[in-house]
């Protein structure tokens, strides 16, 4: 039997399996984004039709992904600031009774042992279809390029232009989007902001931050800025806005 897709909320029997799969592959700090924390409960409640699981014939999850609906006029100027801002805009639009027209794909994840087989493209397509059914004609995504963590010193505006000899993006996740016909719009300089105390950051990163200053942290797309005086650590992560439909 082939791959089937389900609305996440309708398969509570798979939630334990999903938790295990979807907590893997991420650095700990990614779970400490206060803006996302503030809106995530309402995102799950309001937009459950846009959170999908791909499941094989044996009811094993192979991939998951979710998005939120926003209103966007199609111009780069009016794009949401990034991931955090898209969640905020989607929730506020919904609460104010506004009409969305654009799906923002917020995350997609493929089970680790099945990566590199094109499942992400299937996931993105199913999400875009779910958006279309909900009347969302445009599809955009603040993409978190998987290779960017190896180049935390490079501005995203440069990184996104890097190509392989064959002309395809150097970054594998950007390549997947481009192969599907998506095009890059611009960097989302402040897509996610992760904050915590210095002790929090030492815990999340598994390394010490003895001085104030900027640090390279494994898995982070930019530098983590530590302020010992105010006992604060902050990571402002850039993403890349891409447009599908
Ligand atoms: C990013 C992700 C969704 C891509 O899914 P996927 O199904 O593996 O995507 P594809 O099969 O289209 O592979 C894309 C490219 O990455 C390469 N690739 C995939 N997994 C790889 C791995 N583990 N190591 C090295 N390269 C890999 C593929 O070979 C392919 O390269 P190609 O263009 O030369 O063919 C998946 O890797 C993932 O879930 N990562 C963890 C979560 C994440 O970072 N999500 C994105 C942010 S929301």
């Amino acid at each position: 039997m082939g791959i089937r897709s389900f609305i996440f909320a309708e398969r509570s029997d798979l939630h334990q399996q999903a938790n295990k799969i979807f907590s893997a592959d991420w650095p700990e700090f990614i779970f400490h984004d206060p803006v996302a924390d503030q809106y995530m409960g309402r995102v799950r409640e309001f937009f459950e039709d846009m959170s999908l699981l791909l499941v094989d014939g044996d009811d094993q999850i192979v991939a998951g992904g979710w998005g939120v609906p926003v209103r966007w006029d199609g111009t780069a100027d009016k794009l949401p600031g990034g991931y955090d801002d898209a969640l905020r805009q989607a929730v506020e639009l919904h609460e104010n009774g506004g009409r969305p027209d654009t799906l923002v794909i917020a995350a997609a994840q493929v089970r680790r042992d099945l990566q590199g087989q094109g499942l992400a493209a299937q996931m993105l397509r199913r999400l875009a279809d779910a958006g279309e059914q909900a009347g969302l004609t445009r599809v955009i995504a603040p993409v978190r390029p998987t290779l960017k963590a190896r180049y935390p010193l490079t501005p995203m505006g440069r990184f996104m232009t890097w190509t392989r000899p064959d002309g395809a993006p150097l970054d594998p996740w950007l390549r997947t989007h481009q192969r599907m016909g998506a095009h890059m719009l611009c960097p989302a300089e402040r897509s996610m902001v992760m904050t915590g105390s210095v002790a929090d950051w030492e815990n999340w990163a598994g390394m010490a931050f003895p001085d104030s200053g900027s640090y390279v942290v494994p898995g982070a797309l930019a530098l983590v800025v530590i302020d010992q005086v105010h006992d604060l650590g902050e990571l402002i992560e850039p993403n890349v806005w891409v447009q599908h439909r």
Side-chain angles (χ1 to χ4, degrees), residues 25-26 106-110 115-120 144 146 164 172-173 175-176 179:
D25 273 341
W26 298 104
Q109 190 170 355
V110 171
Q115 291 176 5
Q117 300 175 24
L119 281 163
R144 186 171 189 270
T146 49
R164 299 191 304 195
W173 189 211
R175 272 206 303 280
T176 298
R179 250 199 312 263

Side-chain angles (χ1 to χ4, degrees), residues 22 24-27 62-64 66 83 105-112 114-124 142-146 164 166 168-177 179-180 239:
F22 298 139
D25 273 341
W26 298 104
V62 301
W66 57 278
Y83 173 91
I105 295 177
Q109 190 170 355
V110 171
R111 206 174 78 200
R112 186 180 295 176
L114 299 173
Q115 291 176 5
Q117 300 175 24
L119 281 163
Q122 274 201 55
M123 185 73 248
L124 295 174
V143 173
R144 186 171 189 270
T146 49
R164 299 191 304 195
D166 68 357
L170 183 68
D171 183 81
W173 189 211
L174 287 173
R175 272 206 303 280
T176 298
H177 286 269
R179 250 199 312 263
M180 293 177 66
N239 287 170

Side-chain angles (χ1 to χ4, degrees), residues 131-150:
E132 198 169 286
Q133 275 180 20
L136 309 173
T137 49
R138 294 194 179 98
V139 179
I140 56 177
V143 173
R144 186 171 189 270
T146 49
L147 195 63
K148 178 67 172 75
R150 301 283 290 273

Side-chain angles (χ1 to χ4, degrees), residues 20-75:
K20 219 165 117 195
I21 292 169
F22 298 139
S23 57
D25 273 341
W26 298 104
E28 177 58 31
F29 58 75
I30 213 89
F31 302 112
H32 301 278
D33 171 340
V35 174
D37 286 349
Q38 186 186 342
Y39 290 101
M40 201 57 87
R42 280 174 287 173
V43 163
R44 290 209 185 94
E45 186 190 331
F46 297 161
F47 314 124
E48 61 175 40
D49 292 358
M50 283 161 217
S51 178
L52 302 181
L53 288 173
L54 293 192
V55 174
D56 71 11
D58 298 322
D59 260 356
Q60 297 301 302
I61 297 170
V62 301
W66 57 278
V68 295
V70 300
R71 194 162 179 84
W72 177 51
D73 67 5
T75 66

